[in-house]
């Protein structure tokens, strides 16, 4: 491998945002290099690994762990890549491979609501975005075309053009729950980057029910598909290239990215424009690592906001048994949701949230539980069948406000290449707790409407995150309080851009991928215009 690489544009990270940005810039005639810390993988490889894995509920398990590019793993034990500073752990999961974490996502591709971008003005909480929904709308549509998004029109987000595809056919479970809880609660089919018909050379969903950790037929869009499209457009991907430092000149322009190969040989890549496209943990880590005499607190950090306002979507859940057999497990794992609590005056008092109906097969979890309780033989088989047919699970997806004390810093501990690990500071506030309390009331109401028995709500004040790693690079109109401008460009370095969920000032109540891609495509427009 040469140590004299150069391109018009150097992208760090080959996930869905970085790859689609690279594709668009390569299509416009720019030479583009993508540096990816992890290895290449294939759908066939991961599908085989998933089938062989004893840890079917661990979506990280089928993916390779690379000593030179470690990624968080908690099964069978914590690999301690993410150093937890508390007061509560933030057990984030993400992939460091070509294509990034959307290899194992649920493909939910929601738009924000217009009010989500104005919660400070409307409700006195959080912060406002420096752009409006109308600014983002055409880029949402462009992202939906690229990714192949299907969904219903009644999901609350205005749109200028119809979806590329109709919604995925609802499962029997989804249809029956919708009938039982209407009209009080409106259960709609989710908006997803999943083919409901043949689209873009890929087949329609056939209901394998393991969208996470891998769609075995590519009916679901992934960062792997995005990376392939970037290469077809002329971008060059360099896997196993761990960027550990950015260099700048006396004016603050970024002039080079330095990376290690797996044997810790160092290489230097020069370019005119640099784009950081990793996640909201790995980007701050790199910028802190790149501190210099001119920028002692890290690059892109004159505001002191770098790494701060780390956010996700905390979740609680409910499990209950319906009186009829519904057999979760036929169709996509996350097919439908209730949207009515995503916005309202209550946001001044507690978190907004969405409720998701799970369609994941109950068989594996039920079997594990019954064996742990001593069930054997025919009694075990009968009870597996009964519970798997009747059990229903729901969870909330709850908005977390930006808190500067929730942040990413560098740890003293180092990885195999000698690079400091990320250190995470994380907590939940009363705004979240009150939102969880409001959710619990709705859980119990829905369970009652379903005629449920054996209702189990998750313990109070014990939440799970959804791997929607957001914030830490917040964009804004004021360089004193923001890392990037409204186009994702660093206030401190004129040729440094960010395409990541990290630039989102708030997290709202929906999965962040589609919004991140739309923002990334808007950044492409700014780069091409010389903004």
């Amino acid at each position: 491998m040469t140590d004299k690489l150069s391109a018009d544009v150097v992208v760090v990270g080959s996930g869905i945002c970085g790859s689609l940005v690279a594709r668009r810039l390569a299509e416009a005639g720019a030479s583009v290099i993508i540096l990816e810390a992890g290895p290449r993988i294939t759908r066939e490889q991961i599908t085989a690994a998933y089938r062989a894995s004893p840890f079917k509920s661990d979506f990280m398990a089928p993916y390779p762990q690379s000593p030179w590019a470690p990624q968080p793993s908690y099964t069978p034990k914590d690999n301690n890549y993410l150093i937890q500073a508390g007061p509560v752990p933030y057990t984030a999961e993400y992939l460091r491979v070509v294509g990034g974490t959307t290899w194992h996502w649920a493909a939910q591709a929601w738009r924000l609501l217009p009010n989500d971008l104005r919660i400070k003005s409307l409700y006195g909480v959080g912060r406002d975005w420096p752009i409006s929904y109308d600014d983002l709308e055409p880029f949402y549509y462009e992202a939906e075309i690229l990714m192949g998004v299907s969904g219903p029109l009644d999901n609350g987000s205005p749109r200028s053009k119809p979806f590329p595809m109709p919604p995925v056919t609802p499962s029997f479970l989804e249809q029956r729950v919708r009938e039982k809880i209407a009209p009080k609660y409106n259960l709609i089919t989710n908006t997803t980057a999943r083919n409901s018909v043949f689209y873009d050379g890929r087949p329609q969903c056939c209901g394998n029910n393991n969208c996470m950790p891998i769609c075995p037929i590519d009916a679901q869009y992934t960062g792997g598909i995005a990376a392939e499209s970037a290469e077809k457009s002329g971008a060059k991907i360099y896997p196993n290239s761990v960027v550990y430092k950015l260099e700048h000149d006396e004016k603050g322009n970024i002039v080079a990215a330095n990376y290690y190969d797996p044997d810790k040989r160092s290489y230097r890549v020069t370019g005119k424009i640099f784009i950081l496209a990793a996640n909201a943990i790995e980007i701050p880590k790199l910028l802190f690592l790149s501190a210099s005499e001119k920028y002692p607190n890290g690059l892109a950090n004159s505001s002191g906001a770098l790494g701060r306002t780390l956010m996700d979507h905390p979740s609680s859940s409910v499990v209950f048994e319906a009186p009829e057999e519904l057999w979760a497990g036929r169709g996509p794992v996350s097919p439908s949701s209730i949207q009515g609590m995503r916005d309202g005056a209550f946001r001044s008092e507690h978190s907004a949230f969405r409720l998701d109906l799970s369609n994941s097969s109950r068989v594996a979890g039920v079997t594990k539980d019954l064996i742990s309780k001593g069930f054997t033989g025919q009694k075990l088989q009968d009870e597996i069948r009964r519970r798997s047919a009747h059990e229903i699970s729901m969870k909330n997806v709850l908005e977390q406000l930006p808190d500067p004390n929730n942040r990413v810093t560098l740890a003293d501990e180092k990885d195999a290449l000698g690079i400091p690990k990320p250190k995470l500071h994380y907590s939940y506030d009363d705004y979240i707790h009150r939102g969880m309390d409001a959710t619990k009331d709705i859980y119990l109401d829905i369970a009652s409407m379903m005629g449920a028995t054996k209702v189990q709500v998750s313990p109070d004040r014990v939440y799970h995150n959804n791997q929607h790693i957001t914030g830490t690079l917040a964009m804004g109109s004021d360089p004193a309080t923001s890392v990037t401008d409204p186009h994702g460009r660093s206030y401190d370095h004129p040729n440094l851009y960010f395409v990541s969920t990290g630039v989102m000032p708030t997290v709202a109540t929906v999965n962040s991928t589609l919004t991140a891609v739309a923002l990334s495509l808007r950044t492409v427009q700014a780069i091409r215009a010389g903004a």
Side-chain angles (χ1 to χ4, degrees):
M1 184 184 296
T2 179
D3 60 353
K4 295 182 179 179
L5 295 174
S6 185
D8 295 330
V9 180
V10 178
V11 180
V12 179
S14 66
I16 192 169
C17 293
S19 289
L20 289 177
V21 164
R23 170 182 169 176
R24 283 296 195 232
L25 291 172
E27 288 171 344
S31 59
V32 182
I33 286 175
I34 304 176
L35 300 174
E36 167 56 52
R40 289 185 184 273
I41 58 174
T42 66
R43 173 167 50 89
E44 293 79 9
Q45 169 194 353
I46 303 306
T47 300
Y50 174 62
R51 287 172 176 158
S53 173
F55 305 112
K56 290 293 189 291
S57 62
D58 179 4
F59 301 144
M60 298 290 290
Y63 292 88
Q65 276 281 357
S66 304
W68 60 90
Q71 57 201 18
S73 178
Y74 308 97
T75 304
K77 64 178 182 178
D78 190 342
N79 69 351
N80 294 313
Y81 175 60
L82 298 180
I83 305 303
Q84 303 291 341
V88 299
Y90 180 52
T91 52
E93 295 180 354
Y94 53 87
L95 299 176
R96 299 177 76 186
V97 297
V98 173
T101 305
T102 53
W103 275 99
H104 75 21
W105 66 322
Q108 296 206 32
W110 298 97
R111 297 181 176 200
L112 299 181
L113 303 174
N115 283 355
D116 289 336
L117 284 71
R118 303 177 58 232
I119 61 171
K120 182 67 174 180
S121 296
L122 293 173
Y123 309 117
V125 296
R127 61 187 286 176
D128 288 346
W129 290 44
I131 61 174
S132 70
Y133 183 89
D134 289 343
D135 293 327
L136 202 52
E137 201 279 336
F139 301 100
Y140 269 138
Y141 183 69
E142 182 182 357
E144 290 164 348
I145 293 294
L146 287 170
M147 297 164 62
V149 173
S150 61
L153 295 177
D154 60 344
N155 67 6
S157 299
R159 52 187 310 112
S160 58
K161 298 176 183 178
F163 283 102
M165 286 177 279
V168 173
T169 302
S171 67
F172 178 69
L173 167 68
E174 177 182 344
Q175 294 176 57
R176 290 297 290 144
V177 173
R178 179 181 293 122
E179 292 169 1
K180 289 284 189 179
I181 65 176
K184 185 172 184 179
Y185 300 105
N186 181 25
L187 182 73
I188 67 170
T189 301
N190 283 340
T191 299
T192 59
R194 179 177 296 113
N195 288 0
S196 59
V197 296
F198 188 84
Y199 184 89
D200 196 29
R202 296 180 290 111
Q204 70 189 74
C205 174
C206 67
N208 279 288
N209 200 243
N210 51 264
C211 321
M212 297 180 290
I214 184 71
C215 175
I217 65 170
D218 266 354
Q220 180 171 287
Y221 193 81
T222 69
I225 298 169
E228 183 180 349
S229 75
E231 290 187 295
K232 287 180 178 178
S233 298
K236 296 181 179 179
I237 297 178
Y238 290 82
N240 304 317
S241 302
V242 184
V243 179
Y244 65 91
K245 184 179 181 180
L246 300 178
E247 296 178 25
H248 62 83
D249 63 18
E250 66 280 359
K251 295 181 180 179
N253 289 297
I254 305 302
V255 296
N258 295 272
Y259 72 88
Y260 290 132
D261 70 10
D263 296 318
K264 205 176 179 179
R265 290 185 293 255
S266 184
Y267 302 86
R268 186 173 184 267
V269 185
T270 59
K272 298 174 183 177
I273 293 173
F274 290 79
I275 300 174
L276 301 189
N279 64 39
I281 291 175
E282 293 294 325
I283 291 178
K285 185 186 83 168
L286 174 59
L287 294 170
F288 286 128
L289 287 170
S290 301
S292 65
E293 184 176 350
K294 184 177 178 68
Y295 301 103
N297 297 318
L299 302 187
N301 196 26
S302 62
S303 64
L306 178 64
R308 295 186 181 273
T309 66
L310 175 65
M311 295 171 285
D312 203 309
H313 289 121
S315 282
S316 62
S317 62
V318 63
V319 177
F320 56 81
E321 291 187 10
E324 62 181 307
E325 293 189 352
L326 296 174
W327 283 110
R330 295 175 289 182
V333 297
S334 185
S336 51
S337 56
I338 300 169
Q339 305 284 305
M341 295 71 65
R342 287 180 61 190
D343 191 34
F346 65 83
R347 292 176 88 171
S348 64
E349 301 296 330
H350 68 73
S351 294
F353 54 92
R354 180 183 92 238
L355 289 186
D356 278 359
L357 173 67
S358 172
N359 188 42
S360 294
S361 170
R362 307 296 299 172
V363 174
V366 165
T367 302
K368 182 178 179 180
D369 180 58
L370 292 172
I371 290 174
S372 72
K373 293 176 179 177
F375 281 71
T376 59
Q378 189 61 48
K379 187 176 181 181
L380 172 63
Q381 293 185 44
D382 291 344
E383 190 64 4
I384 289 172
R385 179 179 176 85
R386 187 195 68 79
R387 280 182 53 183
S388 298
H390 290 269
E391 274 192 5
I392 295 176
S393 174
M394 301 185 76
K395 71 172 184 179
N396 64 357
V397 180
L398 186 143
E399 179 169 36
Q400 181 175 27
L401 295 178
D403 178 351
N405 295 312
N406 288 346
R407 61 186 301 204
V408 178
T409 59
L410 296 180
D412 294 331
E413 295 87 342
K414 296 181 179 180
D415 66 20
L417 290 178
I419 298 172
K421 298 178 180 181
K423 186 175 185 178
L424 307 181
H425 309 251
Y426 202 65
S427 65
Y428 301 121
D429 59 16
D430 288 341
Y431 187 79
I432 289 173
H433 297 324
R434 290 192 293 269
M436 293 293 182
D437 292 342
T439 305
K440 185 175 181 179
D441 293 338
I442 296 176
Y443 285 155
L444 298 177
D445 190 30
I446 289 174
S448 175
M449 295 174 76
M450 290 293 299
T453 57
K454 300 183 179 179
V455 180
Q456 302 175 64
V457 179
S458 56
D460 289 343
R461 306 303 187 254
V462 178
Y463 314 135
H464 299 283
N465 59 290
N466 278 279
Q467 319 309 340
H468 305 157
I469 309 165
T470 310
T472 74
L473 307 165
M475 64 177 179
S477 299
D478 184 356
T481 59
S482 307
V483 176
T484 82
D485 72 9
H487 294 283
R489 181 169 66 173
S490 166
Y491 274 115
D492 299 341
H493 312 285
N495 67 335
L496 178 63
Y497 292 82
F498 303 90
V499 295
S500 167
T501 53
V503 303
M504 295 172 60
T506 58
V507 72
T509 61
V510 292
N511 310 51
S512 48
T513 300
L514 184 73
T515 297
V517 173
L519 289 168
S520 300
L521 296 171
R522 188 170 181 270
T523 296
V524 169
Q525 183 188 71
I527 291 172
R528 294 187 62 188

